[in-house]
Amino acid sequence: MPENQKPVDVDFLKALVRTVPDFPKPGILFYDITTLLKDKTGFAQLIDAMAAHYLSRKIDLVLGIEARGFIFGPALAYRLNAGFVPVRKPRKLPAPVARVSYDLEYGTDTLEIHLDAIQPGQSVILVDDLLATGGTMQATVKLVKQLGGEIAGLGFAVELDFLKGRDRFPGYDVFSLLHYDE
């Protein structure tokens, strides 16, 4: 962390996250970050803390995964003086794309990125709101590798530790700010 960066008050940020029981289905406790995002101090502290983790590195691009990665990615890219690249659901990007399909608990999904979004050797970080099982991020890692990018880190606002999603990423710098054990 840079010398002039104060440590983030994780308890303050966690207090801004609303928990919603039984959403989207019974037995699930949903961590709703919209209540944190609307708090100007909380949102600023979250972005500053995420940026602090990467400030000592030269980052060329921040990739944000649709849809909530679009919230954190541009703000983080701005703080890191990097470009921003969206990783989208199918048929949302107008130019030629690379695509990868991946398995979900209830089926499959697909992500796409413009073929010219990453130049070989560029240093990129991949950002999303939440690390749960890691399937979406794993698919994004594959896209970056297809295009020759160098992955400098995987960043998340929230991590559900009990789902062990980070276990899918040995050898990668996985950074999550807020951790939950249940």
Side-chain angles (χ1 to χ4, degrees), residues 67-143:
R68 290 178 299 263
F70 293 179
I71 297 167
F72 303 105
L76 190 55
Y78 174 79
R79 288 283 283 115
L80 296 175
N81 195 31
F84 173 73
V85 173
V87 177
R88 303 288 320 257
K89 301 289 182 176
R91 296 174 299 284
K92 302 286 184 188
L93 295 170
V97 298
R99 94 178 24 92
V100 65
S101 293
Y102 60 103
D103 291 327
L104 299 169
E105 176 181 334
Y106 48 85
T108 62
D109 208 347
T110 301
L111 291 173
E112 297 180 341
I113 188 171
H114 279 136
L115 285 174
D116 62 357
I118 302 170
Q119 299 306 308
Q122 282 188 303
S123 177
V124 302
I125 55 175
L126 289 57
V127 178
D128 207 356
D129 66 324
L130 176 79
L131 176 57
T133 61
T136 302
M137 185 58 75
Q138 195 170 44
T140 307
V141 165
K142 288 179 184 177
L143 284 172

Side-chain angles (χ1 to χ4, degrees), residues 20-33:
V20 181
D22 299 321
F23 183 83
K25 62 183 185 179
I28 301 292
L29 181 61
F30 186 83
Y31 294 93
D32 179 12
I33 61 167

Side-chain angles (χ1 to χ4, degrees), residues 141-156:
V141 165
K142 288 179 184 177
L143 284 172
V144 172
K145 286 182 175 182
Q146 281 181 32
L147 298 181
E150 299 292 328
I151 298 172
L154 312 176
F156 304 91

